[in-house]
Amino acid sequence: MHFKRLVIAAGIAATTSLSAHAVTEIQWWHSMTAVNNEWVNDLAKEFNDSQKEYKIVPTFKGVYDESMTAAIAAFRSGNAPHILQVFEVGTATMMASKGATVPVGKVMSDAGVSFDPKAYIPAVAGYYTAPNGQMLSFPFNSSTTIFYYNKDAFKKAGLDAEKAPTTWPEVFAAAKKLKESGHSCPMTLAWQGWTQLESFSTWHNVEFATEQNGLSANGYKARLKLNSPLHVKHIDNLAAAAKAGEFVYKGRASTAQASFTAGECAMIQTSSGFYGDVAKNAKFAYGLAALPYYPDVKGAPQNTVIGGASLWVMAGKKSEEYKGVAKFFEFLSQTKVQAASHQRTGYLPVTMAAYELTEKSGFYQKNPGTDTAVTQMIRKVTDNSRGIRLGNYVQIRTIEDEELEQVWAGKKTGKEALDAIVSRGNELLARFEKSYKP
């Protein structure tokens, strides 16, 4: 009996010891690939190694629209992750998904973790904040569109390799010279709807959609306006370049980026978050610069809009798990972590303190152009340039791809394609308005 009591006591002690040291797992679904996937895994490991209570488990769930679809299905079946990375165009849809998420501000305050939205760059914080001032998701890999070019290709074509084209006429002239020098792909584009319609609109301070591009208190009533004479002129100019072989369309989303790092295409407009890939894989001298603009447009250039993604906290989890989420976000908020992530990836330093630390370290001087994303974003914004936050926008982006591809193939004019985007897109916006409950 004495021996039996000892065995039972030992068992109870072991169980107590195990429960006292049990690690709470936090599932994090994301869409980061290649070098950015390595970054996400490193962040999780750094946090996990810094404490013993929580373990962040990052899982790649496909590209942005795929991971969002997977999370919605998982939520309905009660198996959603704790943290979901959602790209910026999914923000309005997530905001409208009542009961599916918990505002990040609430998660932090409930866990007793300090969180100051004012520490974030205003253009970043404002995008993920509801009209009532509540911050809904955690800014993570915020980016904007910038211009990359191959300096070696520029030299070969007789162009000034140390001076990037600043206007669209200069870009088209450079593409022509690159073509004449034997370059098979003078220019390409990634994320064409984002770069050539959304950022193009804000950069030129022209209306993209009504209701302040969906950011007003009545944003759910917004309708597209991206078929203005300036938009039409620009798409037609790109179509002419495509016909001349000076612009080569390489596919949707980020597909075209590989052609730049391989040295095939000499110029590309895409995410600032592409920088980490270029820095690691490009075997040529390259430059980073601001987006080009049309010099005859009054007020241009203005500012570009936020891209990338934020982290949403899914509903239906235990309080201890939410505490782990809050602790992880607290870790991500550290200035040194923010600055290191910005310098590694090219994503924006989402806090001013991280930007100032990076500047003080001399990083921008050693790596010219890496501050482009920040300087493009911190200008004074207007109602046309604060950002674009529309319902059903994931589907609208697909419509933009479909219609622009018709232009590059020579099957539609710029006006026909843009009119079709407006018509088809507004049908989806009207559907969103009917289903949305303010």
Side-chain angles (χ1 to χ4, degrees):
M1 288 296 290
H2 178 66
F3 176 74
K4 189 175 181 181
R5 281 199 300 271
L6 283 173
V7 170
I8 292 169
I12 292 170
T15 303
T16 303
S17 175
L18 281 172
S19 61
H21 294 94
V23 176
T24 301
E25 286 198 352
I26 308 297
Q27 299 296 326
W28 176 18
W29 288 7
H30 68 87
S31 299
M32 297 282 89
T33 59
V35 295
N36 288 334
N37 181 55
E38 295 169 12
W39 165 56
V40 161
N41 289 335
D42 287 347
L43 282 175
K45 185 177 186 305
E46 189 179 342
F47 171 74
N48 293 341
D49 290 347
S50 72
Q51 45 73 54
K52 305 290 185 194
E53 293 179 83
Y54 308 101
K55 182 182 179 182
I56 296 291
V57 183
T59 305
F60 174 75
K61 295 297 285 189
V63 295
Y64 283 132
D65 53 350
E66 291 171 345
S67 62
M68 193 169 163
T69 301
I72 290 168
F75 176 76
R76 287 172 180 159
S77 63
N79 298 307
H82 300 84
I83 304 170
L84 173 66
Q85 183 190 29
V86 178
F87 58 163
E88 89 287 4
V89 296
T91 300
T93 300
M94 294 299 287
M95 287 174 68
S97 302
K98 304 291 190 222
T101 64
V102 183
V104 67
K106 177 174 168 51
V107 171
M108 302 300 267
S109 62
D110 286 354
V113 175
S114 61
F115 178 63
D116 181 14
K118 292 188 179 71
Y120 291 83
I121 291 173
V124 174
Y127 191 86
Y128 298 118
T129 299
N132 66 2
Q134 187 178 45
M135 203 158 179
L136 301 173
S137 60
F138 183 85
F140 179 57
N141 57 312
S142 296
S143 64
T144 196
T145 45
I146 65 171
F147 183 85
Y148 298 81
Y149 69 104
N150 183 325
K151 290 186 174 183
D152 293 349
F154 267 49
K155 281 181 185 174
K156 185 183 172 187
L159 294 162
D160 186 349
E162 299 308 316
K163 186 178 181 298
T166 57
T167 68
W168 272 107
E170 288 173 358
V171 169
F172 291 126
K176 188 176 179 64
K177 278 203 167 187
L178 285 159
K179 178 72 175 173
E180 290 168 352
S181 72
H183 218 285
S184 63
C185 177
M187 173 175 64
T188 192
L189 305 165
W191 300 103
Q192 58 184 342
W194 181 37
T195 60
Q196 303 311 305
L197 297 176
E198 296 166 36
S199 284
F200 178 85
S201 299
T202 61
W203 196 227
H204 289 85
N205 197 25
V206 295
E207 191 176 30
F208 181 86
T210 61
E211 296 296 340
Q212 297 174 23
N213 295 333
L215 282 163
S216 77
N218 292 319
Y220 62 95
K221 296 181 177 180
R223 297 294 185 268
L224 297 174
K225 302 275 283 185
L226 53 84
N227 54 349
S228 75
L230 178 63
H231 289 100
V232 171
K233 168 186 161 182
H234 178 55
I235 299 304
D236 280 342
N237 285 344
L238 283 171
K243 189 175 182 181
E246 293 155 9
F247 157 49
V248 181
Y249 177 64
K250 290 289 184 178
R252 299 182 184 185
S254 62
T255 307
Q257 291 177 176
S259 63
F260 181 79
T261 48
E264 179 191 350
C265 296
M267 297 183 285
I268 187 171
Q269 289 168 57
T270 187
S271 169
S272 60
F274 178 45
Y275 170 72
D277 192 354
V278 175
K280 183 177 180 180
N281 298 314
K283 307 299 183 204
F284 51 83
Y286 58 86
L288 284 65
L291 288 186
Y293 63 96
Y294 286 99
D296 58 341
V297 176
K298 187 179 179 182
Q302 178 60 39
N303 63 280
T304 50
V305 292
I306 196 172
S310 64
L311 304 181
W312 290 77
V313 183
M314 303 303 287
K317 305 299 180 181
K318 297 173 183 174
S319 60
E320 182 60 21
E321 293 168 341
Y322 283 132
K323 190 173 179 183
V325 171
K327 288 290 185 183
F328 181 50
F329 287 175
E330 182 181 39
F331 162 78
L332 293 178
S333 297
Q334 292 177 30
T335 300
K336 64 179 183 178
V337 174
Q338 291 273 346
S341 291
H342 162 55
Q343 293 167 34
R344 175 175 177 172
T345 65
Y347 285 113
L348 289 162
V350 294
T351 63
M352 289 305 294
Y355 169 66
E356 288 159 5
L357 179 61
T358 301
E359 189 172 43
K360 191 176 179 181
S361 73
F363 179 81
Y364 297 134
Q365 282 186 317
K366 293 175 199 164
N367 302 276
T370 50
D371 61 342
T372 301
V374 185
T375 57
Q376 281 188 174
M377 286 287 290
I378 60 176
R379 298 162 185 254
K380 184 180 178 183
V381 299
T382 71
D383 284 346
N384 287 332
S385 71
R386 282 174 59 215
I388 293 159
R389 193 167 67 196
L390 302 170
N392 287 332
Y393 203 62
V394 177
Q395 298 94 314
I396 292 172
R397 273 259 182 100
T398 300
I399 292 170
E400 291 170 356
D401 282 334
E402 290 170 354
E403 294 297 339
L404 289 176
E405 283 167 353
Q406 293 289 303
V407 178
W408 314 147
K411 296 176 180 177
K412 280 191 176 183
T413 64
K415 187 170 190 325
E416 288 170 341
L418 293 176
D419 284 348
I421 292 171
V422 169
S423 175
R424 295 174 64 192
N426 282 344
E427 286 178 16
L428 288 172
L429 289 173
R431 198 177 304 164
F432 178 79
E433 182 185 352
K434 283 182 182 177
S435 65
Y436 184 74
K437 299 286 185 281

